[in-house]
Amino acid sequence: MNKLFLSAAIFISSLSFAQKAVEVKLNLRDGTTINGTTTMNDVVLKTTYGQLSIPIQNVNTIVVGIGKDKLISDKAVSYLKILNSNATEEIKKGAYTDLVKLGVKAISAINDFQADPKNSLEIEMTGEYTIEGSLSELKNNFSIDDVSKINDVITIDGEYTMGGAYDFVKMDVKTEYGNLSIPKEKIKTMDISYSEPSNGNEIVLKLQASKHISGNQNGGWLKTGINLKQGQKFTIMASGEVTLASLSNQKYKPDGSYIATNGTNYPAAAATDDYSTSSPTYPVYGNVVYKIGETSYDVLRAGAKFNGTAKTSGMLLIAIYETVYSAANTGSYTVKISLK
């Protein structure tokens, strides 16, 4: 009994250890946006090619699909056959009501039923309770548009996408207004930012070109969680490569050097890396930039290597410098911030 208890304790401990703190932005189907933090395990995605376990630090975006469920599909088919028959309106009403009660996953069952040629009739079904009506009501109830996918789609490392089934019931998010629990069916997309602390004085973050752009007015600046004090020294080191669709798909490095679409290499513009000097330089496209305080209008150059002193106190935020935002950007920068 003691061995069983010990094994269970180790298993539970390993699950807790696997969870990592991440910053999330939830875009809900009703148009609401929720920003906050949560804890997530690595994403287990069931695909037609097998099951994948994707480290959460490599996940950028999750587009939540409608989903499928065999039990729900089997029930839905029985109701759909009634709606697709010459049954009385009273019988159809019951089938219609029960079909809508099955929820959002009944949508995929209706689509599959309608796509099957054997379910087509030579006469058009009329009346108040029809298959088309049930589909329209379900889409309206769950704010499903015509471009919504059946599968969940995950973007990895800002560049690769994979579709499949990511099973979760709800997302618990800690926001500045309190803790919220959001059911999966209400979520349209999730943007995920993971930060990995190295030690007490360092933190490693990832800037995603598809989101963390200084010109993006909706979550473009990544909150580091570091509160600087005026006069405190800190360093920013960055590496990686991003492709900015807003700048003709040119490939940029954190220091501002880039490769044009014709293959020509352009070096970084000459600049000082130390903002504690009296002659700071302004950022160029592709630079890692920072500001202190969420309401600050200062966009200060960090580049690939930066040593500086905080001119004011407040939260440190970082981004990739570009005045125009495009969600089609790809790639990421790995950024290490050290405090002194």
Side-chain angles (χ1 to χ4, degrees), residues 47 62 77 83 117 150 154 157 161 166 220 224 229 249 266 268 289 294 300 322 332:
T47 78
I62 300 175
V77 167
L83 295 178
I150 299 299
I154 296 180
D157 291 333
T161 58
Y166 172 41
T224 65
K229 295 180 180 179
N249 286 312
Y266 291 89
V289 289
E294 292 186 54
L300 305 174
E322 158 61 318
S332 63

Coordinates of all heavy atoms in Angstrom, one line a residue, residues 47 62 77 83 117 150 154 157 161 166 220 224 229 249 266 268 289 294 300 322 332:
T47 N -3.0 13.6 -34.0 CA -3.1 13.8 -35.5 C -3.4 12.5 -36.2 O -3.4 11.4 -35.6 CB -1.8 14.4 -36.0 OG1 -0.9 13.4 -36.2 CG2 -1.3 15.5 -35.1
I62 N -2.7 28.7 -30.9 CA -3.6 27.5 -31.0 C -4.9 28.1 -31.5 O -5.6 28.9 -30.9 CB -3.8 26.8 -29.7 CG1 -2.5 26.3 -29.1 CG2 -4.8 25.7 -29.9 CD1 -2.6 25.6 -27.8
V77 N -26.8 11.8 -36.0 CA -27.2 11.1 -37.2 C -28.7 10.6 -37.0 O -29.5 10.7 -38.0 CB -26.3 9.9 -37.6 CG1 -26.9 9.1 -38.6 CG2 -24.9 10.5 -38.1
L83 N -35.0 14.6 -39.5 CA -35.2 15.9 -40.1 C -35.2 15.7 -41.6 O -35.7 16.6 -42.4 CB -34.1 16.9 -39.7 CG -34.2 17.3 -38.2 CD1 -33.0 18.2 -37.9 CD2 -35.5 17.9 -37.8
P117 N -23.6 11.7 -50.2 CA -24.6 11.7 -51.3 C -25.8 10.8 -51.0 O -26.9 11.1 -51.5 CB -23.8 11.1 -52.5 CG -22.4 11.3 -52.1 CD -22.3 11.3 -50.7
I150 N -12.5 22.2 -38.4 CA -12.9 21.1 -37.5 C -11.8 20.8 -36.5 O -12.0 20.7 -35.3 CB -13.3 19.9 -38.3 CG1 -14.5 20.2 -39.2 CG2 -13.6 18.7 -37.3 CD1 -15.7 20.5 -38.5
I154 N -2.2 24.2 -34.5 CA -1.1 24.7 -33.6 C 0.0 25.3 -34.5 O 0.5 24.6 -35.4 CB -0.6 23.7 -32.6 CG1 -1.8 23.2 -31.7 CG2 0.6 24.2 -31.8 CD1 -1.4 22.2 -30.7
D157 N 7.0 27.4 -33.2 CA 8.2 28.2 -33.5 C 7.9 29.3 -34.5 O 8.8 29.7 -35.2 CB 9.3 27.3 -34.0 CG 9.9 26.3 -33.0 OD1 9.8 26.7 -31.8 OD2 10.4 25.3 -33.3
T161 N 2.9 24.7 -38.9 CA 1.5 24.5 -38.3 C 1.2 23.0 -38.4 O 1.7 22.3 -39.3 CB 0.5 25.3 -39.2 OG1 0.6 24.9 -40.5 CG2 0.7 26.8 -39.0
Y166 N -6.5 18.8 -29.8 CA -5.9 19.1 -28.6 C -7.0 19.1 -27.5 O -7.8 20.0 -27.5 CB -5.2 20.5 -28.7 CG -4.7 21.0 -27.4 CD1 -4.1 20.2 -26.4 CD2 -4.8 22.4 -27.0 CE1 -3.6 20.7 -25.2 CE2 -4.3 22.9 -25.9 CZ -3.7 22.0 -25.0 OH -3.2 22.5 -23.8
G220 N 1.4 43.8 -28.8 CA 2.7 43.8 -29.5 C 3.9 43.8 -28.5 O 4.9 43.3 -28.8
T224 N 7.8 41.6 -19.6 CA 8.8 40.6 -19.1 C 8.6 40.2 -17.7 O 9.2 39.2 -17.2 CB 10.2 41.3 -19.1 OG1 10.3 42.4 -18.2 CG2 10.5 41.8 -20.6
K229 N 14.1 49.4 -11.2 CA 14.2 50.6 -10.4 C 15.1 51.6 -11.1 O 16.0 51.3 -11.8 CB 14.7 50.3 -9.0 CG 13.8 49.4 -8.2 CD 14.4 49.1 -6.8 CE 13.5 48.2 -6.0 NZ 14.1 47.9 -4.7
N249 N 9.0 40.6 -46.8 CA 9.5 39.3 -46.4 C 11.0 39.2 -46.3 O 11.6 38.2 -46.6 CB 9.0 38.2 -47.4 CG 7.5 37.9 -47.2 OD1 7.1 37.6 -46.1 ND2 6.8 37.9 -48.3
Y266 N 22.5 43.0 -46.0 CA 22.8 44.3 -45.5 C 23.2 44.3 -44.0 O 22.5 43.8 -43.2 CB 21.5 45.2 -45.7 CG 21.1 45.4 -47.1 CD1 20.3 44.5 -47.8 CD2 21.6 46.5 -47.8 CE1 20.0 44.7 -49.1 CE2 21.3 46.7 -49.1 CZ 20.5 45.8 -49.8 OH 20.1 46.0 -51.1
A268 N 24.1 45.6 -40.1 CA 23.4 46.4 -39.2 C 23.9 47.9 -39.3 O 25.1 48.1 -39.5 CB 23.6 45.9 -37.8
V289 N 13.7 46.1 -29.2 CA 13.5 47.4 -28.6 C 12.9 47.2 -27.2 O 12.3 46.1 -27.0 CB 12.7 48.4 -29.4 CG1 13.4 48.8 -30.7 CG2 11.4 47.7 -29.8
E294 N 4.3 50.4 -19.0 CA 3.3 50.1 -20.1 C 2.8 51.3 -20.8 O 2.5 51.2 -22.0 CB 2.1 49.3 -19.5 CG 2.5 47.9 -19.0 CD 1.3 47.1 -18.6 OE1 0.3 47.0 -19.4 OE2 1.2 46.7 -17.5
L300 N 13.0 52.3 -27.3 CA 14.5 52.4 -27.1 C 15.2 51.2 -27.7 O 14.7 50.0 -27.5 CB 14.9 52.6 -25.7 CG 14.2 53.7 -24.9 CD1 14.5 53.7 -23.5 CD2 14.6 55.1 -25.6
E322 N 9.1 47.5 -35.7 CA 8.5 47.7 -37.0 C 7.2 48.5 -36.8 O 6.4 48.1 -35.9 CB 8.3 46.3 -37.7 CG 7.2 46.3 -38.8 CD 7.5 47.2 -40.0 OE1 7.9 48.3 -39.8 OE2 7.2 46.8 -41.1
S332 N 11.3 34.0 -34.8 CA 11.3 34.5 -33.4 C 12.7 34.9 -33.0 O 13.7 34.4 -33.6 CB 10.7 33.5 -32.4 OG 11.5 32.3 -32.4

